[in-house]
Amino acid sequence: MCALKIRIKFRKQGFVRFVGHLDLMRTYQKTMKRADVAIKYSGGFSPHQIMSFASPLSVGMISNGEYMDIEVEHCGTSAEMVEQVNSCVPEGMDILSWRQLDDNTKNAMSQVAFADYKVWFKEGSAPESEEEFWAGFGRFVEQDHIPYVKKTKKGEKELDLRERILEARPTTPLGIMAVMFGDAKIGDFDRVLISDPSERSGYFLRLASGSAANTKPEQVLEAYCASIGMEYPKFDIQVEREELYANVGTEEAPVLKSLEDFGKEIR
């Protein structure tokens, strides 16, 4: 019997933000057993569950758009499997969707090209000039170039973060500016109204991601803070990942497709 390729979207919220990637993976492996999911195992002397993740999330970050791919011998409908797994999963790690992939679909990790993030100050950690901070950040991301020195094990590498920011906009209820990067010119702004009054004051960022050009919102914030002579308050700012995308267009003209949309609901 042929195995089914399944893509699962899940979230990472609450205290689970402090769980590292390896422990997260072990937790889902145990969850699949407890939930009686007919997950497929590899062969050999040390068989393991066939399970891979799209993009490991840094400790301390939260997310509403994480992905893992598994293979199963058989399963119920998507709605049934979501309920079945969520009955056994720890709080804050519940799955949001269960979709079947075509056999020729690449794994999630190799597909990642862009990611959506939201950043805001944690409660009680915002500076007195929070509005001024985010207004300055908005002007900062409009620049033609944003130089950044990335430190790696092999040394230092100079980057232009501006090239890796596809979109940036404020998430305050009074936010009126959306900056689109790509074919649009700097200064061509779309006026938007944030209709949800519960939105926190902060910023939405759509950044290049994946193995080729992995960009983190912390890097953009760190570069901004350095430009105004301020130390980056990494423990005061919360970062939340909202979605991961593949690029089904070209490098020059990207067309984004969420990793979830590669699968189909099982009914």
Side-chain angles (χ1 to χ4, degrees), residues 93-112:
M93 293 175 57
D94 45 309
I95 71 171
L96 305 175
S97 70
W98 174 289
R99 296 194 175 190
Q100 183 178 350
L101 299 173
D102 292 335
D103 291 338
N104 59 353
T105 303
K106 295 181 179 179
N107 65 54
M109 180 179 292
S110 65
Q111 288 184 312
V112 175

Side-chain angles (χ1 to χ4, degrees), residues 114-115 137 140-143 145-146 160-169 179-182 186 203-208 215-217 219-221:
F114 293 94
F137 182 75
F140 177 77
V141 295
E142 295 172 31
Q143 298 179 109
H145 301 283
I146 302 177
D160 183 0
L161 295 179
R162 163 64 179 79
E163 298 175 347
R164 301 182 174 199
I165 304 174
L166 189 66
E167 181 180 346
R169 65 174 183 265
V179 184
M180 300 297 295
F181 296 132
I186 300 298
Y203 244 80
F204 167 89
L205 295 169
R206 178 166 291 169
L207 306 175
T215 311
K216 299 179 179 180
Q219 294 172 335
V220 185
L221 286 162

